[in-house]
PDB file of all heavy atoms in Angstrom:
ATOM      1  N   LEU A   1     -18.086 -11.662   6.359  1.00  0.00           N
ATOM      2  CA  LEU A   1     -18.659 -10.797   5.251  1.00  0.00           C
ATOM      3  C   LEU A   1     -20.066 -11.253   4.940  1.00  0.00           C
ATOM      4  O   LEU A   1     -20.973 -10.428   4.548  1.00  0.00           O
ATOM      5  CB  LEU A   1     -17.774 -10.866   3.991  1.00  0.00           C
ATOM      6  CG  LEU A   1     -16.358 -10.362   4.109  1.00  0.00           C
ATOM      7  CD1 LEU A   1     -15.565 -10.578   2.914  1.00  0.00           C
ATOM      8  CD2 LEU A   1     -16.421  -8.783   4.416  1.00  0.00           C
ATOM      9  N   PHE A   2     -20.348 -12.599   5.007  1.00  0.00           N
ATOM     10  CA  PHE A   2     -21.640 -13.186   4.587  1.00  0.00           C
ATOM     11  C   PHE A   2     -22.163 -14.108   5.673  1.00  0.00           C
ATOM     12  O   PHE A   2     -22.068 -15.307   5.601  1.00  0.00           O
ATOM     13  CB  PHE A   2     -21.481 -13.964   3.269  1.00  0.00           C
ATOM     14  CG  PHE A   2     -20.782 -13.248   2.227  1.00  0.00           C
ATOM     15  CD1 PHE A   2     -19.422 -13.525   1.821  1.00  0.00           C
ATOM     16  CD2 PHE A   2     -21.464 -12.196   1.473  1.00  0.00           C
ATOM     17  CE1 PHE A   2     -18.824 -12.859   0.822  1.00  0.00           C
ATOM     18  CE2 PHE A   2     -20.775 -11.570   0.388  1.00  0.00           C
ATOM     19  CZ  PHE A   2     -19.542 -11.857   0.090  1.00  0.00           C
ATOM     20  N   PRO A   3     -22.756 -13.400   6.733  1.00  0.00           N
ATOM     21  CA  PRO A   3     -23.223 -14.265   7.759  1.00  0.00           C
ATOM     22  C   PRO A   3     -24.346 -15.203   7.251  1.00  0.00           C
ATOM     23  O   PRO A   3     -25.136 -15.011   6.332  1.00  0.00           O
ATOM     24  CB  PRO A   3     -23.930 -13.220   8.717  1.00  0.00           C
ATOM     25  CG  PRO A   3     -23.235 -11.977   8.373  1.00  0.00           C
ATOM     26  CD  PRO A   3     -22.971 -11.944   6.989  1.00  0.00           C
ATOM     27  N   GLY A   4     -24.414 -16.407   7.792  1.00  0.00           N
ATOM     28  CA  GLY A   4     -25.364 -17.320   7.457  1.00  0.00           C
ATOM     29  C   GLY A   4     -24.769 -18.563   6.548  1.00  0.00           C
ATOM     30  O   GLY A   4     -25.576 -19.459   6.238  1.00  0.00           O
ATOM     31  N   ILE A   5     -23.680 -18.263   6.025  1.00  0.00           N
ATOM     32  CA  ILE A   5     -22.995 -19.333   5.108  1.00  0.00           C
ATOM     33  C   ILE A   5     -22.467 -20.502   6.051  1.00  0.00           C
ATOM     34  O   ILE A   5     -22.598 -20.444   7.329  1.00  0.00           O
ATOM     35  CB  ILE A   5     -21.904 -18.805   4.226  1.00  0.00           C
ATOM     36  CG1 ILE A   5     -20.727 -18.354   5.118  1.00  0.00           C
ATOM     37  CG2 ILE A   5     -22.509 -17.778   3.373  1.00  0.00           C
ATOM     38  CD1 ILE A   5     -19.606 -17.948   4.297  1.00  0.00           C
ATOM     39  N   ALA A   6     -21.887 -21.480   5.493  1.00  0.00           N
ATOM     40  CA  ALA A   6     -21.390 -22.648   6.235  1.00  0.00           C
ATOM     41  C   ALA A   6     -20.238 -22.212   7.216  1.00  0.00           C
ATOM     42  O   ALA A   6     -19.657 -21.228   6.830  1.00  0.00           O
ATOM     43  CB  ALA A   6     -20.925 -23.745   5.227  1.00  0.00           C
ATOM     44  N   PRO A   7     -20.184 -22.940   8.361  1.00  0.00           N
ATOM     45  CA  PRO A   7     -19.064 -22.529   9.222  1.00  0.00           C
ATOM     46  C   PRO A   7     -17.725 -22.737   8.732  1.00  0.00           C
ATOM     47  O   PRO A   7     -17.640 -23.346   7.736  1.00  0.00           O
ATOM     48  CB  PRO A   7     -19.395 -23.478  10.466  1.00  0.00           C
ATOM     49  CG  PRO A   7     -20.113 -24.706   9.844  1.00  0.00           C
ATOM     50  CD  PRO A   7     -20.971 -24.174   8.717  1.00  0.00           C
ATOM     51  N   PRO A   8     -16.697 -22.093   9.397  1.00  0.00           N
ATOM     52  CA  PRO A   8     -15.274 -22.235   8.806  1.00  0.00           C
ATOM     53  C   PRO A   8     -14.814 -23.647   8.622  1.00  0.00           C
ATOM     54  O   PRO A   8     -14.031 -23.988   7.748  1.00  0.00           O
ATOM     55  CB  PRO A   8     -14.505 -21.560   9.854  1.00  0.00           C
ATOM     56  CG  PRO A   8     -15.430 -20.659  10.488  1.00  0.00           C
ATOM     57  CD  PRO A   8     -16.687 -21.253  10.561  1.00  0.00           C
ATOM     58  N   GLY A   9     -15.393 -24.596   9.481  1.00  0.00           N
ATOM     59  CA  GLY A   9     -14.869 -26.002   9.351  1.00  0.00           C
ATOM     60  C   GLY A   9     -15.200 -26.611   8.023  1.00  0.00           C
ATOM     61  O   GLY A   9     -14.442 -27.450   7.473  1.00  0.00           O
ATOM     62  N   ALA A  10     -16.360 -26.153   7.486  1.00  0.00           N
ATOM     63  CA  ALA A  10     -16.767 -26.703   6.091  1.00  0.00           C
ATOM     64  C   ALA A  10     -15.635 -26.403   5.105  1.00  0.00           C
ATOM     65  O   ALA A  10     -15.253 -27.072   4.223  1.00  0.00           O
ATOM     66  CB  ALA A  10     -18.099 -26.269   5.638  1.00  0.00           C
ATOM     67  N   TYR A  11     -15.212 -25.025   5.129  1.00  0.00           N
ATOM     68  CA  TYR A  11     -14.306 -24.534   4.148  1.00  0.00           C
ATOM     69  C   TYR A  11     -12.836 -25.223   4.525  1.00  0.00           C
ATOM     70  O   TYR A  11     -11.986 -25.398   3.601  1.00  0.00           O
ATOM     71  CB  TYR A  11     -14.197 -23.003   4.266  1.00  0.00           C
ATOM     72  CG  TYR A  11     -15.359 -22.482   3.703  1.00  0.00           C
ATOM     73  CD1 TYR A  11     -16.495 -22.167   4.542  1.00  0.00           C
ATOM     74  CD2 TYR A  11     -15.532 -22.166   2.393  1.00  0.00           C
ATOM     75  CE1 TYR A  11     -17.629 -21.627   4.077  1.00  0.00           C
ATOM     76  CE2 TYR A  11     -16.647 -21.572   1.854  1.00  0.00           C
ATOM     77  CZ  TYR A  11     -17.795 -21.328   2.665  1.00  0.00           C
ATOM     78  OH  TYR A  11     -18.900 -20.758   2.211  1.00  0.00           O
ATOM     79  N   ALA A  12     -12.639 -25.496   5.780  1.00  0.00           N
ATOM     80  CA  ALA A  12     -11.403 -26.149   6.200  1.00  0.00           C
ATOM     81  C   ALA A  12     -11.243 -27.505   5.519  1.00  0.00           C
ATOM     82  O   ALA A  12     -10.195 -27.939   5.024  1.00  0.00           O
ATOM     83  CB  ALA A  12     -11.205 -26.335   7.702  1.00  0.00           C
ATOM     84  N   LEU A  13     -12.480 -28.240   5.450  1.00  0.00           N
ATOM     85  CA  LEU A  13     -12.436 -29.548   4.851  1.00  0.00           C
ATOM     86  C   LEU A  13     -12.167 -29.512   3.365  1.00  0.00           C
ATOM     87  O   LEU A  13     -11.379 -30.349   2.874  1.00  0.00           O
ATOM     88  CB  LEU A  13     -13.848 -30.170   5.063  1.00  0.00           C
ATOM     89  CG  LEU A  13     -14.043 -31.563   4.464  1.00  0.00           C
ATOM     90  CD1 LEU A  13     -13.041 -32.591   4.991  1.00  0.00           C
ATOM     91  CD2 LEU A  13     -15.447 -31.946   4.794  1.00  0.00           C
ATOM     92  N   VAL A  14     -12.746 -28.522   2.668  1.00  0.00           N
ATOM     93  CA  VAL A  14     -12.524 -28.389   1.257  1.00  0.00           C
ATOM     94  C   VAL A  14     -11.121 -27.838   1.049  1.00  0.00           C
ATOM     95  O   VAL A  14     -10.463 -28.385   0.003  1.00  0.00           O
ATOM     96  CB  VAL A  14     -13.569 -27.440   0.648  1.00  0.00           C
ATOM     97  CG1 VAL A  14     -13.249 -27.171  -0.800  1.00  0.00           C
ATOM     98  CG2 VAL A  14     -14.965 -28.097   0.808  1.00  0.00           C
ATOM     99  N   GLY A  15     -10.638 -27.065   1.859  1.00  0.00           N
ATOM    100  CA  GLY A  15      -9.264 -26.492   1.717  1.00  0.00           C
ATOM    101  C   GLY A  15      -8.221 -27.620   1.854  1.00  0.00           C
ATOM    102  O   GLY A  15      -7.232 -27.431   1.205  1.00  0.00           O
ATOM    103  N   MET A  16      -8.499 -28.592   2.591  1.00  0.00           N
ATOM    104  CA  MET A  16      -7.516 -29.746   2.654  1.00  0.00           C
ATOM    105  C   MET A  16      -7.313 -30.355   1.359  1.00  0.00           C
ATOM    106  O   MET A  16      -6.061 -30.468   0.987  1.00  0.00           O
ATOM    107  CB  MET A  16      -7.997 -30.785   3.717  1.00  0.00           C
ATOM    108  CG  MET A  16      -8.074 -30.308   5.078  1.00  0.00           C
ATOM    109  SD  MET A  16      -9.041 -31.432   6.273  1.00  0.00           S
ATOM    110  CE  MET A  16      -7.970 -32.832   6.181  1.00  0.00           C
ATOM    111  N   GLY A  17      -8.284 -30.591   0.601  1.00  0.00           N
ATOM    112  CA  GLY A  17      -8.142 -31.346  -0.636  1.00  0.00           C
ATOM    113  C   GLY A  17      -7.446 -30.292  -1.669  1.00  0.00           C
ATOM    114  O   GLY A  17      -6.663 -30.702  -2.505  1.00  0.00           O
ATOM    115  N   ALA A  18      -7.843 -29.068  -1.438  1.00  0.00           N
ATOM    116  CA  ALA A  18      -7.374 -28.063  -2.542  1.00  0.00           C
ATOM    117  C   ALA A  18      -5.876 -27.824  -2.431  1.00  0.00           C
ATOM    118  O   ALA A  18      -5.234 -27.925  -3.418  1.00  0.00           O
ATOM    119  CB  ALA A  18      -8.097 -26.781  -2.366  1.00  0.00           C
ATOM    120  N   VAL A  19      -5.376 -27.816  -1.330  1.00  0.00           N
ATOM    121  CA  VAL A  19      -3.910 -27.593  -1.086  1.00  0.00           C
ATOM    122  C   VAL A  19      -3.132 -28.934  -1.559  1.00  0.00           C
ATOM    123  O   VAL A  19      -2.048 -28.789  -2.126  1.00  0.00           O
ATOM    124  CB  VAL A  19      -3.517 -27.217   0.264  1.00  0.00           C
ATOM    125  CG1 VAL A  19      -2.028 -27.241   0.520  1.00  0.00           C
ATOM    126  CG2 VAL A  19      -4.024 -25.787   0.537  1.00  0.00           C
ATOM    127  N   VAL A  20      -3.710 -30.002  -1.256  1.00  0.00           N
ATOM    128  CA  VAL A  20      -3.075 -31.242  -1.816  1.00  0.00           C
ATOM    129  C   VAL A  20      -2.973 -31.320  -3.223  1.00  0.00           C
ATOM    130  O   VAL A  20      -2.065 -31.674  -3.734  1.00  0.00           O
ATOM    131  CB  VAL A  20      -3.886 -32.512  -1.166  1.00  0.00           C
ATOM    132  CG1 VAL A  20      -3.357 -33.763  -1.800  1.00  0.00           C
ATOM    133  CG2 VAL A  20      -3.603 -32.656   0.419  1.00  0.00           C
ATOM    134  N   ALA A  21      -4.147 -30.922  -3.913  1.00  0.00           N
ATOM    135  CA  ALA A  21      -4.196 -30.821  -5.321  1.00  0.00           C
ATOM    136  C   ALA A  21      -3.192 -29.938  -5.876  1.00  0.00           C
ATOM    137  O   ALA A  21      -2.461 -30.040  -6.822  1.00  0.00           O
ATOM    138  CB  ALA A  21      -5.547 -30.442  -5.742  1.00  0.00           C
ATOM    139  N   GLY A  22      -3.013 -28.775  -5.194  1.00  0.00           N
ATOM    140  CA  GLY A  22      -2.158 -27.767  -5.653  1.00  0.00           C
ATOM    141  C   GLY A  22      -0.635 -28.216  -5.498  1.00  0.00           C
ATOM    142  O   GLY A  22       0.272 -27.854  -6.332  1.00  0.00           O
ATOM    143  N   THR A  23      -0.309 -28.861  -4.456  1.00  0.00           N
ATOM    144  CA  THR A  23       1.155 -29.347  -4.307  1.00  0.00           C
ATOM    145  C   THR A  23       1.486 -30.496  -5.160  1.00  0.00           C
ATOM    146  O   THR A  23       2.567 -30.592  -5.642  1.00  0.00           O
ATOM    147  CB  THR A  23       1.419 -29.658  -2.809  1.00  0.00           C
ATOM    148  OG1 THR A  23       0.401 -30.680  -2.408  1.00  0.00           O
ATOM    149  CG2 THR A  23       1.389 -28.513  -1.906  1.00  0.00           C
ATOM    150  N   THR A  24       0.482 -31.472  -5.299  1.00  0.00           N
ATOM    151  CA  THR A  24       0.740 -32.599  -6.009  1.00  0.00           C
ATOM    152  C   THR A  24       0.417 -32.635  -7.469  1.00  0.00           C
ATOM    153  O   THR A  24       0.847 -33.483  -8.345  1.00  0.00           O
ATOM    154  CB  THR A  24      -0.018 -33.865  -5.459  1.00  0.00           C
ATOM    155  OG1 THR A  24      -1.343 -33.619  -5.485  1.00  0.00           O
ATOM    156  CG2 THR A  24       0.507 -34.109  -4.021  1.00  0.00           C
ATOM    157  N   HIS A  25      -0.381 -31.625  -7.879  1.00  0.00           N
ATOM    158  CA  HIS A  25      -0.897 -31.485  -9.242  1.00  0.00           C
ATOM    159  C   HIS A  25      -1.701 -32.775  -9.642  1.00  0.00           C
ATOM    160  O   HIS A  25      -1.768 -33.180 -10.757  1.00  0.00           O
ATOM    161  CB  HIS A  25       0.166 -31.253 -10.313  1.00  0.00           C
ATOM    162  CG  HIS A  25       0.851 -29.985 -10.198  1.00  0.00           C
ATOM    163  ND1 HIS A  25       1.843 -29.563 -11.064  1.00  0.00           N
ATOM    164  CD2 HIS A  25       0.772 -28.961  -9.282  1.00  0.00           C
ATOM    165  CE1 HIS A  25       2.246 -28.314 -10.651  1.00  0.00           C
ATOM    166  NE2 HIS A  25       1.559 -27.997  -9.563  1.00  0.00           N
ATOM    167  N   ALA A  26      -2.381 -33.431  -8.612  1.00  0.00           N
ATOM    168  CA  ALA A  26      -3.166 -34.634  -8.817  1.00  0.00           C
ATOM    169  C   ALA A  26      -4.596 -34.403  -8.252  1.00  0.00           C
ATOM    170  O   ALA A  26      -4.812 -34.774  -7.152  1.00  0.00           O
ATOM    171  CB  ALA A  26      -2.435 -35.817  -8.177  1.00  0.00           C
ATOM    172  N   PRO A  27      -5.459 -33.602  -8.908  1.00  0.00           N
ATOM    173  CA  PRO A  27      -6.751 -33.300  -8.372  1.00  0.00           C
ATOM    174  C   PRO A  27      -7.599 -34.523  -8.169  1.00  0.00           C
ATOM    175  O   PRO A  27      -8.465 -34.538  -7.118  1.00  0.00           O
ATOM    176  CB  PRO A  27      -7.371 -32.314  -9.429  1.00  0.00           C
ATOM    177  CG  PRO A  27      -6.647 -32.724 -10.688  1.00  0.00           C
ATOM    178  CD  PRO A  27      -5.238 -33.083 -10.328  1.00  0.00           C
ATOM    179  N   ILE A  28      -7.561 -35.531  -8.956  1.00  0.00           N
ATOM    180  CA  ILE A  28      -8.473 -36.699  -8.752  1.00  0.00           C
ATOM    181  C   ILE A  28      -8.194 -37.273  -7.542  1.00  0.00           C
ATOM    182  O   ILE A  28      -8.945 -37.728  -6.684  1.00  0.00           O
ATOM    183  CB  ILE A  28      -8.305 -37.583  -9.996  1.00  0.00           C
ATOM    184  CG1 ILE A  28      -8.723 -36.927 -11.285  1.00  0.00           C
ATOM    185  CG2 ILE A  28      -9.264 -38.845  -9.738  1.00  0.00           C
ATOM    186  CD1 ILE A  28      -8.563 -37.754 -12.565  1.00  0.00           C
ATOM    187  N   THR A  29      -6.866 -37.647  -7.244  1.00  0.00           N
ATOM    188  CA  THR A  29      -6.428 -38.198  -5.990  1.00  0.00           C
ATOM    189  C   THR A  29      -6.864 -37.430  -4.801  1.00  0.00           C
ATOM    190  O   THR A  29      -7.372 -37.913  -3.775  1.00  0.00           O
ATOM    191  CB  THR A  29      -4.855 -38.363  -6.018  1.00  0.00           C
ATOM    192  OG1 THR A  29      -4.525 -39.272  -7.109  1.00  0.00           O
ATOM    193  CG2 THR A  29      -4.452 -38.927  -4.733  1.00  0.00           C
TER     194      THR A  29
END
């Protein structure tokens, strides 16, 4: 949708932490 933004790998990296935060309810960790 928006060519020129960061590659999918960048969002994969952030998504790793986001799902961990969502499952554990521990965002700082």
Side-chain angles (χ1 to χ4, degrees):
L1 296 174
F2 309 105
I5 63 172
Y11 293 91
L13 178 60
V14 176
M16 291 167 68
V19 172
V20 168
T23 54
T24 63
H25 295 185
I28 301 175
T29 298

